[in-house]
Amino acid sequence: MKAFLLAAGKGTRLRPLTYKIPKCLVPIRGIPLLDYWFDLLERHGIDEVLINLHHLADKVLNFLQLKEDELRKRNMRIITVYEPELLGSAGTILANRSFVYPGEDFLICNADNLTDADLSDLIEFHRSHEMPLTMGLFEADEPRRCGIAELDEKGTIVSFEEKPQNPKTNLANAGIYVARCSIFDYIPRKTPCDIGYDLLPKLVGNMKGRLIRGRLIDIGTPESYRIANEMWM
């Protein structure tokens, strides 16, 4: 199975750390974040990964070059695409639709999260229905800072709002999705194009949500980054 690993962001909230280190390589207990993702993806049978690059792309490429032998042993193929202009999370998916074969399910993951989510459970759930997308969810302590979903009794997402002032639930977008190729028909042709703001609202009523099994920390702020380094084992 293939995965898009979205890693091109500038990490502005983590400055000054991200002035010199791309967000996808910030260390958690001395280990670059991408290494955690490679471990997780390998554990759940992902053998081909597309990583988009922009901010400090040369440092990510150098890191991957040093990892070549290790990734070969993992039987994991890494493809990188450089974006001179950020396309946005949904724009990256659309621009690289040829990465996946017609009819093939695939993962989309935000590389700026630290997680040990059970991806196999999410994939299995996705294959139990025919909608274009399954969104991994977690229970947020601060739902106003997240994309918030509301589910019906069948697990269909019946409302979604990015960073709502008055959240209807605490079920937050985990930035982990399983998608079908039909998802490409819903992505607006604009640049930049964002999953949370531009794609997911179009899928309300036509996507499922699933609570992830495992932990997830968004390391996007100095406080959450500190917590990750203190708590992650």
Side-chain angles (χ1 to χ4, degrees), residues 24-223:
C24 63
L25 292 184
V26 297
I28 308 296
R29 291 185 170 263
I31 299 172
L33 183 57
L34 271 183
D35 269 331
Y36 288 97
W37 273 107
F38 292 153
D39 285 343
L40 180 67
L41 293 171
E42 179 191 25
R43 194 156 64 242
H44 293 279
I46 309 304
D47 56 11
E48 197 162 346
V49 183
L50 184 145
I51 304 176
N52 66 326
L53 306 176
H54 175 75
H55 177 60
L56 299 176
D58 57 327
K59 295 199 172 185
V60 182
L61 290 172
N62 289 339
F63 169 81
L64 292 173
Q65 187 174 13
L66 292 172
K67 288 280 176 180
E68 277 186 0
D69 289 343
E70 179 183 325
L71 292 167
R72 194 176 297 114
K73 290 177 182 177
R74 293 176 185 263
N75 293 317
M76 185 177 290
R77 180 182 178 218
I78 305 296
I79 298 168
T80 60
V81 290
Y82 176 69
E83 298 177 5
E85 176 186 2
L86 284 171
L87 300 177
S89 49
T92 295
I93 306 305
L94 183 61
N96 296 283
R97 62 185 300 170
S98 61
F99 172 60
V100 293
Y101 300 120
E104 181 180 27
D105 294 344
F106 56 94
L107 277 166
I108 305 168
C109 303
N110 291 345
D112 54 1
N113 289 330
L114 177 65
T115 184
D116 58 4
D118 186 343
L119 302 179
S120 297
D121 174 75
L122 199 63
I123 293 166
E124 182 180 356
F125 174 77
H126 178 74
R127 289 173 175 168
S128 72
H129 66 82
E130 297 183 353
M131 291 184 178
L133 189 78
T134 297
M135 181 194 303
L137 301 169
F138 71 101
E139 295 180 334
D141 295 328
E142 300 179 77
R144 288 185 180 182
R145 297 175 57 183
C146 307
I148 295 299
E150 182 182 11
L151 305 182
D152 67 10
E153 68 281 356
K154 295 182 179 180
T156 301
I157 295 177
V158 294
S159 74
F160 179 83
E161 188 175 358
E162 193 69 37
K163 297 180 175 61
Q165 286 299 309
N166 299 295
K168 295 180 180 179
T169 74
N170 70 336
L171 296 177
N173 181 0
I176 303 172
Y177 317 88
V178 189
R180 294 187 167 87
C181 288
S182 55
I183 198 72
F184 298 123
D185 297 333
Y186 294 86
I187 300 176
R189 271 60 175 172
K190 54 175 283 193
T191 302
C193 186
D194 182 74
I195 289 176
Y197 287 104
D198 300 312
L199 172 60
L200 297 180
K202 290 179 171 289
L203 290 168
V204 168
N206 198 23
M207 61 179 165
K208 296 283 188 178
R210 175 81 164 179
L211 273 172
I212 62 169
R213 297 177 180 176
R215 301 166 292 168
L216 182 139
I217 302 176
D218 173 5
I219 62 160
T221 67
E223 176 63 13

